[in-house]
């Protein structure tokens, strides 16, 4: 895994968006896995602007949602599919049937097997946020390096952090579904994104701490094409 310090937050967002536009221009049928969370939002704004300008198109791309909260009403605006739709998908020209998300009203294990099969040999490019506990998607500490798409229990810190998506502090989800670390490892490229001083310790540990399932992000350190793209604050201790 290579660490890229992309400078102040605006330069960081420009950098990530420009790289992604480049990948999409080179391969319009790019198969992308995308996260929600707060970190990628400035990147998604720039991508939407690039599509509006006609610089690039998602018309032939495919987007796989990284993870989803369970036990939440389909119309709840805090769901990951709703969040990614608002932040990016509804603002670009991605055909609706190329936005792959989780349907959790039926058999959850069966749905996870369906998504795993759909990802198949792997995405071309995966963007990930970085949890302060090192989680990737909902692969919490303890997740196996070869884990596949599955139902998971959320770490108490992740449950607490989800309050910012749901706009409430009670009745928060306690489980979710996520592409696994093995699923993500099959991606041709992986870009882990981190911004802000609050991520500086986990960026340091991801790059330099022991490789261990206690810090899931370290398990991608040996991926052949993984980058941790941080802004200057998140990169400060690494
Ligand atoms: P954030 O979340 O982008 O909102 O910081 C990242 C994560 O917890 O995976």
């Amino acid at each position: 895994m290579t660490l890229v310090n992309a400078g102040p937050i605006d330069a960081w967002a420009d950098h990530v968006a420009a790289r992604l536009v480049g990948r999409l221009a080179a391969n319009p049928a790019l198969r992308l896995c995308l996260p929600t969370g707060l970190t990628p939002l400035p990147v998604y704004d720039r991508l939407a602007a690039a599509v509006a300008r006609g610089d690039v198109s998602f018309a032939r791309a495919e987007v796989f949602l990284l993870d989803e909260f369970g036990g939440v009403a389909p119309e709840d605006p805090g769901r990951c599919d709703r969040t990614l739709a608002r932040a990016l998908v509804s603002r670009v020209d991605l055909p609706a049937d190329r936005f792959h998300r989780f349907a959790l009203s039926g058999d959850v294990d069966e749905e996870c097997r369906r998504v795993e099969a759909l990802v198949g040999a792997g995405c071309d490019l995966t963007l990930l946020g970085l949890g302060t506990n090192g989680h990737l998607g909902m692969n919490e500490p303890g997740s196996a390096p070869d884990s596949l798409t599955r139902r998971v229990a959320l770490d108490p810190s992740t449950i607490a952090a989800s309050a910012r998506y749901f706009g409430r502090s009670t009745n928060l989800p306690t489980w979710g579904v996520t592409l696994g670390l093995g699923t993500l490892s099959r991606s041709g490229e992986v870009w882990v994104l981190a911004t802000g001083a609050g991520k500086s310790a986990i960026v340091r540990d991801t790059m330099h701490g022991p490789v261990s399932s206690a810090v899931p992000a370290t398990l991608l350190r040996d991926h052949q094409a993984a980058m941790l793209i941080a802004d200057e604050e998140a990169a400060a201790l690494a």
Side-chain angles (χ1 to χ4, degrees):
M1 186 180 287
T2 313
L3 176 68
V4 177
N5 177 343
I9 182 78
D10 285 338
W12 170 87
D14 289 346
H15 176 100
V16 178
R19 267 189 198 264
L20 212 156
V21 166
R23 292 297 187 278
L24 205 45
N27 176 12
L30 197 69
R31 302 177 81 227
L32 271 168
C33 171
L34 295 179
T36 54
L38 303 182
T39 307
L41 294 180
V43 174
Y44 293 160
D45 284 343
R46 284 158 175 79
L47 286 177
V51 170
R53 284 195 303 271
D55 291 352
V56 78
S57 170
F58 281 78
R60 293 178 52 207
E62 248 182 308
V63 171
F64 292 84
L65 182 61
L66 172 63
D67 52 13
E68 186 58 275
F69 293 109
V72 175
E75 66 278 7
D76 193 312
R79 278 177 62 111
C80 298
D81 59 358
R82 292 278 179 147
T83 303
L84 189 61
R86 277 195 311 278
L88 181 72
V89 170
S90 69
R91 304 164 74 192
V92 299
D93 55 348
L94 181 77
D97 63 351
R98 289 172 179 267
F99 178 28
H100 304 296
R101 52 189 122 179
F102 294 89
L104 296 180
S105 51
D107 182 330
V108 173
D109 294 337
E110 182 64 36
E111 176 66 358
C112 290
R113 283 192 289 274
R114 183 189 72 85
V115 172
E116 181 69 29
L118 211 54
V119 173
C123 290
D124 298 309
L125 172 61
T126 294
L127 271 59
L128 298 168
L130 179 60
T132 51
N133 65 358
H135 73 203
L136 298 174
M138 293 179 187
N139 292 285
E140 300 284 12
S143 296
D146 58 355
S147 52
L148 300 180
T149 304
R150 68 202 186 285
R151 176 180 173 138
V152 289
L154 297 179
D155 194 80
S157 66
T158 304
I159 297 173
S162 76
R164 67 189 192 277
Y165 307 132
F166 289 97
R168 58 179 187 258
S169 54
T170 57
N171 198 22
L172 295 170
T174 57
W175 64 276
V177 291
T178 185
L179 270 60
L181 294 173
T183 322
L184 300 173
S185 303
R186 298 200 303 272
S187 185
E189 279 188 272
V190 177
W191 301 350
V192 180
L193 308 180
T195 57
K199 297 286 170 73
S200 58
I202 191 61
V203 167
R204 177 198 60 208
D205 294 350
T206 298
M207 294 305 302
H208 305 296
V211 172
S212 160
S213 61
V215 183
T218 63
L219 299 176
L220 290 185
R221 203 189 289 159
D222 291 336
H223 188 279
Q224 76 283 359
M227 283 191 296
L228 201 172
I229 312 179
D231 76 339
E232 61 187 6
E233 291 189 357
L237 302 178

